[in-house]
Amino acid sequence: MIWNRKYGFGIVVWVGLWLFPTKAICQRVSTDSLLTKAFANDQLLPTLINAAQKFSPEIRRIGSSIDLAISNQKINKNSIYSGLSLQSSYYYGTNYSAVNALNNTNVLTTSQTGFYNIGIGLQLPITHIISRKHLIKSSQSQIDMVSAEKDNAEIFVRQEVIRLYQELKLAHRIMLISRVNRQAAEINYKMAEKEFLQGQITVEQNSRVLDIFNKAKIDYETFVNKFQTTIMMLDAYTGTSFSNLLNQVK
């Protein structure tokens, strides 16, 4: 510890931080180490982007629009067969026919027989034939347009995930710094309080140290809240749990 009588408060070096070992701190350090490791090589970023693109309602809507456009194109291609028809019929009755007898006289004969009729018909308006090519081309253009919209939506989602991810990294770093500041300010305050009770520093000096400690606590809670908010926003946007993904870090 370095103590400066002129200013009436202590500047505590990091050595004093070992005075507060708890189970909660150990767990927190473990989580911080996983976060630091994950952020070091950004190994979770591709997983987050992929999850967000699958979860995005806009991308899923555009995907359905592509399926609809493809179905319409198939309908346009097959519409030429709408004028093609297959007809069949069956009749049963008396068949009258003329035959030559042995004496070369014509004789009418009758017999009970069945008759089958099968035929194929094609009837298409000329405008239908001419416009078919343009309908197919138009439907292909629609598919291309919707596919481009999907690409843009995927790019937008990727950018949003990157933005939230970078905010999370920054919030984590600042949170760690503010935690150190709070712990140092707390140690300074406890030592200043002891000095004050012993009459070694004035009320103003003790209040000054207390103000620094309170500000450090407020800053820390603010950055913790920012860190937690960013995680929740990332979870909501990607549809997956960042905490669960963090447990997969190797």
Side-chain angles (χ1 to χ4, degrees):
M1 181 189 70
I2 300 175
W3 185 262
N4 192 323
R5 290 284 183 178
K6 179 179 180 181
Y7 296 99
F9 61 91
I11 303 174
V12 179
V13 186
W14 268 98
V15 179
L17 296 179
W18 65 272
L19 296 174
F20 304 96
T22 64
K23 182 177 180 181
I25 290 179
C26 293
Q27 293 175 346
R28 184 179 62 197
V29 170
S30 177
T31 302
D32 288 338
S33 62
L34 285 176
L35 283 168
T36 302
K37 190 173 182 180
F39 290 148
N41 53 11
D42 298 328
Q43 58 180 290
L44 296 181
L45 184 56
T47 303
L48 291 169
I49 293 175
N50 184 58
Q53 290 178 341
K54 290 181 179 179
F55 180 73
S56 171
E58 180 65 13
I59 292 179
R60 287 187 280 114
R61 182 193 68 80
I62 296 175
S64 298
S65 299
I66 293 177
D67 294 338
L68 177 61
I70 292 175
S71 298
N72 288 334
Q73 185 185 59
K74 292 179 179 179
I75 292 173
N76 290 332
K77 288 181 178 180
N78 297 331
S79 62
I80 192 172
Y81 300 109
S82 61
L84 183 66
S85 62
L86 177 64
Q87 298 176 344
S88 64
S89 61
Y90 172 78
Y91 302 96
Y92 181 81
T94 301
N95 179 25
Y96 294 89
S97 62
V99 298
N100 291 326
L102 294 176
N103 55 2
N104 294 327
T105 60
N106 293 330
V107 179
L108 290 175
T109 63
T110 61
S111 61
Q112 297 293 324
T113 58
F115 299 90
Y116 296 90
N117 292 323
I118 299 176
I120 297 177
L122 181 63
Q123 183 179 3
L124 289 174
I126 189 67
T127 55
H128 186 84
I129 298 175
I130 296 174
S131 62
R132 178 175 180 270
K133 178 180 179 181
H134 299 289
L135 287 173
I136 295 175
K137 185 177 180 180
S138 175
S139 60
Q140 182 60 48
S141 298
Q142 185 178 9
I143 294 174
D144 295 339
M145 290 174 60
V146 180
S147 298
E149 290 182 10
K150 184 179 180 181
D151 292 339
N152 286 333
E154 289 178 347
I155 292 173
F156 176 80
V157 170
R158 184 183 299 110
Q159 291 174 340
E160 282 297 296
V161 173
I162 292 174
R163 181 183 65 81
L164 291 172
Y165 179 81
Q166 290 297 102
E167 287 185 4
L168 183 63
K169 289 177 65 175
L170 179 61
H172 178 246
R173 292 175 182 174
I174 296 178
M175 183 184 69
L176 294 180
I177 295 173
S178 64
R179 180 188 300 165
V180 171
N181 293 337
R182 187 203 64 178
Q183 292 173 342
E186 183 177 4
I187 295 174
N188 280 337
Y189 169 70
K190 289 182 177 180
M191 299 188 68
E193 186 71 13
K194 183 179 179 180
E195 295 283 346
F196 173 72
L197 293 175
Q198 294 176 353
Q200 297 179 4
I201 61 175
T202 64
V203 174
E204 291 78 9
Q205 292 171 334
N206 187 56
S207 298
R208 187 175 179 183
V209 177
L210 178 60
D211 290 341
I212 295 174
F213 178 43
N214 288 334
K215 184 179 182 303
K217 289 193 296 184
I218 293 173
D219 289 343
Y220 175 71
E221 294 299 329
T222 300
F223 292 124
V224 168
N225 180 268
K226 174 65 176 177
F227 175 75
Q228 294 173 342
T229 300
T230 308
I231 285 183
M232 288 187 286
M233 291 176 61
L234 193 60
D235 288 351
Y237 195 76
T238 60
T240 188
S241 173
F242 183 81
S243 298
N244 291 339
L245 292 178
L246 190 62
N247 294 328
Q248 302 174 12
V249 173
K250 298 179 180 179

